[in-house]
Amino acid sequence: MIALFVGLAVFIGGLILVAFLPSLVARLVKGWAWLYTARLPSDIRARRRAEMRSDLWEHARAERELGYRPESIALHQFLRCLFGIPADLSWRRSQVRQSRHVRPRSLRRGLPLEPALAEKLVSELQQLDPLMQKVVALKFDIELSNAEIARLLDLSAAKVGVELDSALKQLRNSLAHDLRPWLTAARLAEPGAGRQKSDAGQ
Amino acid sequence: MLPIEASILEAAVALAQTGTAEFHGYLMASEIRERQGARLLTAYGTLYKALERLERQGLVQSRWEDPAAAAEERRPLRRLYHVTAEAVHALAAIPSRGKQPALKPIRRPAEA
């Protein structure tokens, strides 16, 4: 009797899941788009969300017309979303960097890069191993994700991570001396730095 | 140029040659799948990030379609892309893409 009840519940639950799966997945994908575009400038945010809405709709319509079952359509949409997550995150990072609407997280805090330091940075970049140079350029100039760089250079993602870490470590070490006074100036320029000083004096 | 970018441009040029001058995201994803004989469509993130990069490089341009057209068909508004003349030159400059599968002829009725 219990087995019959459980079986019936699973069957009904399955039917409900299949019936609502496409809309659930569509909501999930839209929710993800909403999440990774949050706090970006409104025009960029609206464009990406609208493109996602359109793509989901076109995808569902096209596959319905081709005779796909709703759960297959949902699975295809889910996989498209899942495999695109690294690119979504990397895209968001690049948008955040370019955006003035989101608080900058870099150490620069909006200070201009001094020409002498920029020259030193370029000179140090040229000292890097050619593979490191490629990885750094692809990561920070073209703003690719590690997975994309790995595919492009025919490396493993782990190797890309290692090359990137080594390059950044090498750059930090070689620039540490030159960066120190500049970073100190940047810290003093942070909003609240003066207030902290006066608070400490009280 | 990244492989996904080259795939987009090749598909877009082929679409233009068959009379579909403008394409939207899903149409491009399905076109790439058809031409490459892949099982899955290009992921959302990969596709739109690549399209944005191509637009920044001036190889594609985009616009929102007329809202009346979308309202008439009761569907969300499409972002329509088209390739620029620079894209054709950029494609011609790509050395042979040895490992890529041979391009298949397009079989598609004209669609915006």
Side-chain angles (χ1 to χ4, degrees), chain B residues 37-52:
Chain B
R39 287 190 65 194
L40 290 175
L41 290 163
T42 310
Y44 300 116
T46 312
L47 178 68
Y48 291 107
K49 189 180 167 195
L51 280 169
E52 199 176 295

Side-chain angles (χ1 to χ4, degrees), chain A residues 28-29 32 36 48 52 59 74-90 145 147-148 151, chain B residues 4 38-49:
Chain A
L28 184 75
V29 175
W32 168 241
Y36 76 77
R48 176 57 70 95
M52 291 297 297
H59 187 164
L75 178 66
H76 295 160
Q77 290 179 331
F78 179 72
L79 290 176
R80 283 186 78 192
C81 177
L82 190 68
F83 292 144
I85 286 176
D88 287 332
L89 294 177
S90 137
S145 67
E148 287 172 314
R151 277 199 297 277
Chain B
I4 177 66
R39 287 190 65 194
L40 290 175
L41 290 163
T42 310
Y44 300 116
T46 312
L47 178 68
Y48 291 107
K49 189 180 167 195

Side-chain angles (χ1 to χ4, degrees), chain A residues 29 46-48 50-59 61-63 66 68 76-77 79-81 83-84 87-88 90-91 95 98 142-145 148 151-152 154, chain B residues 1-5 24-27 29 33 39-49 51-53 55-57 62 64 73-79 81 99 111:
Chain A
V29 175
R47 175 179 167 172
R48 176 57 70 95
E51 278 197 306
M52 291 297 297
R53 264 198 306 277
S54 169
D55 196 316
L56 280 164
W57 192 92
E58 303 284 352
H59 187 164
R61 181 180 74 164
E63 293 203 340
L66 289 170
Y68 282 94
H76 295 160
Q77 290 179 331
L79 290 176
R80 283 186 78 192
C81 177
F83 292 144
D88 287 332
S90 137
W91 174 82
Q95 296 301 326
Q98 290 164 20
I142 307 184
E143 295 171 340
L144 299 183
S145 67
E148 287 172 314
R151 277 199 297 277
L152 190 64
D154 202 17
Chain B
M1 185 182 295
L2 297 172
I4 177 66
E5 294 171 353
H24 51 81
Y26 174 75
L27 179 60
R33 177 176 65 177
R39 287 190 65 194
L40 290 175
L41 290 163
T42 310
Y44 300 116
T46 312
L47 178 68
Y48 291 107
K49 189 180 167 195
L51 280 169
E52 199 176 295
R53 264 198 313 259
E55 195 166 12
R56 241 181 7 234
Q57 294 165 28
S62 70
W64 288 109
E73 294 184 33
R74 303 179 72 180
R75 57 169 171 73
L77 213 56
R78 290 170 174 168
R79 182 94 186 167
Y81 295 85
K99 289 181 182 175
E111 188 187 343

Side-chain angles (χ1 to χ4, degrees), chain A residues 107-177:
Chain A
L107 288 170
R108 288 178 55 194
R109 305 280 182 199
L111 284 184
L113 187 63
E114 290 175 14
L117 187 58
E119 276 177 30
K120 174 82 175 162
L121 179 62
V122 171
S123 154
E124 291 300 334
L125 279 168
Q126 287 168 347
Q127 302 297 317
L128 292 176
D129 172 84
L131 180 59
M132 284 184 189
Q133 286 184 23
K134 281 185 194 171
V135 172
V136 168
L138 291 170
K139 182 76 181 177
F140 298 106
D141 188 17
I142 307 184
E143 295 171 340
L144 299 183
S145 67
N146 287 12
E148 287 172 314
I149 297 171
R151 277 199 297 277
L152 190 64
L153 298 180
D154 202 17
L155 301 171
S156 67
K159 173 75 173 162
V160 171
V162 168
E163 291 294 324
L164 203 54
D165 284 348
S166 306
L168 293 178
K169 192 174 178 184
Q170 197 172 317
L171 286 173
R172 274 192 212 105
N173 288 341
S174 51
L175 289 170
H177 178 72

